Amino acid sequence: MGKAIVITSGKGGVGKTTSTANIGAALAKQGHSVVLVDADIGLRNLDVVMGLENRIVYHLIDVINGKCSLQKAVIKDRRIDNLYLLPSSQVDEKDAVTEEQMLHLVTKLKKSYEYVIIDCPAGIEQGFRNAIAGADEAIVVATPEISSIRDADRVAGLLAAADIPTRLIVNRISAAMVKRGDMLSKDDVIDILALELLGAVPMDDEIVASTNKGVPATLAGVSPAARAYEIVARRINGEVVEDIDEHVGFFARIGRAIGLSSAA
Amino acid sequence: MVWNDIKGFLSGGRRSSREVAKGRLHLVLAHDRTGLDGAKLQEMRQKIADVIAEYVDIDADAVDIQIERVSRESTELRVSSPVRTRNSAVS
């Protein structure tokens, strides 16, 4: 029996879909069977971020309505073994599916795949409730900005009320801005939200480029964000992995080695 | 956080936008987490003021409610009210 993980944030545009694609690709690269589920009914995007938009025939709502089998709607990513996508519908509305139907669907997927990664729509309405219905765990994605953190806190509260264990990804951190005092640090965000950190992803131009091309950064190569997502994937799988500090200077490294300063 | 103190001193005590954001978030989240909206908070403030006024002489408008996160796990609601005492100068 696999594990279902919902990726959510409350606020839109903080990197839910990008995180879903990259975590999924990283888990598949590490040898696990993964199906990504786009739960954003009416505003599908995971397919284009994955570069699989031309391969869609059937979608989630077709499966729910019995128009096709689950196997027929799931697309296999040909670039890598063990990676699959269940696309969303672009024409239906959020209420075309119920929480019970989602739970049933996710439970079925868990029988065939090790990881079911669900990309949640923005907001905390029906679409959110549908997306979390079958989830065993949740990942809240937040950027180090007031609006994103406020929404993340609200979502974390709802997930706690639903008894879903929740961890945090802090996305788009700029070490230079944190150092200047113009951005909340990873530790600031952890402290404010009081959530366990799953990973910190640096701001990385490569993410924009990889999305343009429809190739998740973790499939493409070794950019800083890709490395961060690979660590996230290993932690999801239960491994204990140290953070890589991209921007720790030479002297700080020496200081840390001889025990002069604590970790940032 | 000695280094931050030094930096703060050198910048003439100006808080960085990072510090400002932290402070604002602590307040906003403390309020959000209570689930109270502005009108409800106002109503509660008025009721508390009425109760206090039954026992001591106060200026009901000066009663203040502050909701603040004191640690990761706990949020505190503080009510403060100036009290007019028998020997205070103001009548």
Side-chain angles (χ1 to χ4, degrees):
Chain A
M1 196 71 162
K3 191 182 274 178
I5 303 169
V6 65
I7 301 195
T8 180
S9 68
K11 190 179 179 298
V14 299
K16 276 184 301 297
T17 303
T18 306
S19 294
T20 306
N22 280 290
I23 290 170
L27 279 168
K29 236 171 120 176
Q30 289 159 20
H32 307 286
S33 66
V34 181
V35 63
L36 307 177
V37 179
D38 191 347
D40 201 344
I41 315 294
L43 290 169
R44 89 172 165 215
N45 268 324
L46 187 53
D47 54 331
V48 283
V49 173
M50 291 295 296
L52 298 172
E53 67 272 21
N54 294 327
R55 307 248 326 268
I56 300 177
V57 183
Y58 298 106
H59 52 68
L60 191 148
I61 300 297
D62 290 331
V63 178
I64 299 270
N65 292 338
K67 247 171 103 179
C68 76
S69 69
L70 188 50
Q71 287 77 6
K72 244 182 161 173
V74 170
I75 299 165
K76 182 182 175 358
D77 192 319
R78 295 193 188 114
R79 296 165 295 194
I80 183 168
D81 282 338
N82 295 326
L83 185 58
Y84 300 83
L85 168 73
L86 176 58
S88 169
S89 160
Q90 183 69 350
V91 293
D92 291 280
E93 310 254 329
K94 302 245 183 251
D95 54 10
V97 52
T98 67
E99 288 168 59
E100 293 72 35
Q101 286 169 326
M102 273 304 281
L103 173 63
H104 181 73
L105 180 81
V106 171
T107 308
K108 220 166 149 185
L109 286 169
K110 273 161 63 178
K111 287 179 184 145
S112 314
Y113 304 91
E114 274 176 80
Y115 288 103
V116 182
I117 315 277
I118 305 154
D119 186 17
C120 180
I124 49 171
E125 301 84 17
Q126 190 57 47
F128 168 77
R129 289 197 293 272
N130 287 341
I132 69 166
D136 303 303
E137 288 176 19
I139 296 172
V140 169
V141 181
T143 57
E145 293 157 296
I146 289 196
S147 49
S148 166
I149 294 167
R150 185 187 200 180
D151 290 3
D153 188 67
R154 182 95 167 85
V155 161
L158 294 171
L159 290 164
D163 263 328
I164 300 173
T166 302
R167 286 186 284 183
L168 173 70
I169 287 179
V170 185
N171 195 18
R172 290 191 211 131
I173 301 172
S174 157
M177 287 189 76
V178 172
K179 213 173 160 192
R180 277 209 306 272
D182 275 330
M183 184 182 271
L184 292 165
S185 72
K186 167 190 81 178
D187 291 323
D188 292 339
V189 182
I190 298 168
D191 178 55
I192 292 164
L193 289 174
L195 288 173
E196 185 192 331
L197 183 79
L198 188 59
V201 182
M203 215 184 258
D204 184 353
D205 292 352
E206 182 55 32
I207 290 293
V208 178
S210 73
T211 308
N212 284 342
K213 290 181 271 187
V215 183
T218 43
L219 275 191
V222 285
S223 60
R227 280 204 294 276
Y229 278 119
E230 268 156 26
I231 290 178
V232 166
R234 291 198 183 282
R235 287 182 181 154
I236 287 174
N237 198 43
E239 291 174 47
V240 180
V241 197
E242 285 281 311
D243 264 326
I244 25 161
D245 263 324
E246 301 279 343
H247 300 277
V248 174
F250 178 68
F251 290 105
R253 260 184 237 271
I254 291 179
R256 201 178 285 181
I258 60 175
L260 271 183
S261 67
S262 61
Chain B
M1 286 290 120
V2 179
W3 175 236
N4 280 347
D5 290 342
I6 296 169
K7 268 203 288 200
F9 177 73
L10 290 177
S11 62
R14 243 180 299 117
R15 289 166 79 211
S16 66
S17 76
R18 172 184 171 190
E19 292 303 323
V20 174
K22 258 198 266 186
R24 292 178 64 209
L25 265 167
H26 273 288
L27 280 178
V28 167
L29 292 190
H31 275 263
D32 284 358
R33 283 170 184 171
T34 61
L36 282 174
D37 62 20
K40 277 262 177 268
L41 200 66
Q42 209 46 44
E43 188 188 316
M44 179 169 76
R45 199 188 70 88
Q46 192 54 53
K47 279 188 179 168
I48 292 172
D50 290 348
V51 171
I52 300 173
E54 276 182 40
Y55 300 92
V56 280
D57 189 13
I58 58 157
D59 173 7
D61 291 332
V63 172
D64 184 40
I65 292 185
Q66 274 180 1
I67 299 169
E68 216 173 294
R69 216 174 66 126
V70 287
S71 72
R72 272 168 90 116
E73 283 85 21
S74 76
T75 296
E76 203 172 85
L77 185 146
R78 265 200 300 276
V79 180
S80 62
S81 165
V83 179
R84 292 193 190 106
T85 57
R86 264 175 278 180
N87 36 5
S88 67
V90 225
S91 62

